[in-house]
Amino acid sequence: MRKLLLLEDDTALGEGIRLALKSGETEITLCRTLSEGSLALEQSTFDLLILDINLPDGSGLELLREVRQSSS
């Protein structure tokens, strides 16, 4: 099973993306804040990250930098 992390603070947009990507082969974790996304990454590994840039507590680009630094 593939695991996808979706980081989106807009409730309707996040749910819409989740429904569009939903399949029997994909588990989607939807997070609404940068801190929730960071916690999800600490607890699990993901095959794909879809990151929002404008979040209430930062930017998805910050999370991407963290992921890249930790995987080097």
Side-chain angles (χ1 to χ4, degrees):
M1 177 165 290
R2 294 176 299 210
K3 294 181 72 176
L4 184 148
L5 174 65
L6 173 58
L7 183 57
E8 174 57 60
D9 63 322
D10 183 291
T11 304
L13 182 57
E15 290 300 327
I17 293 170
R18 181 175 18 197
L19 284 173
L21 297 175
K22 184 178 176 181
S23 77
E25 299 171 0
T26 305
E27 176 186 328
I28 301 172
T29 300
L30 176 58
C31 298
R32 305 221 184 274
T33 64
L34 188 61
S35 57
E36 284 180 20
S38 293
L39 182 60
L41 281 168
E42 288 175 11
Q43 297 174 347
S44 187
T45 58
F46 294 90
D47 300 301
L48 177 67
L49 306 178
I50 299 177
L51 306 173
D52 188 356
I53 294 188
N54 296 313
L55 297 164
D57 59 344
S59 169
L61 294 175
E62 294 172 38
L63 186 59
L64 180 58
R65 285 184 197 102
E66 289 177 23
V67 169
R68 286 183 173 174
Q69 287 177 354
S70 67
S71 66
S72 321

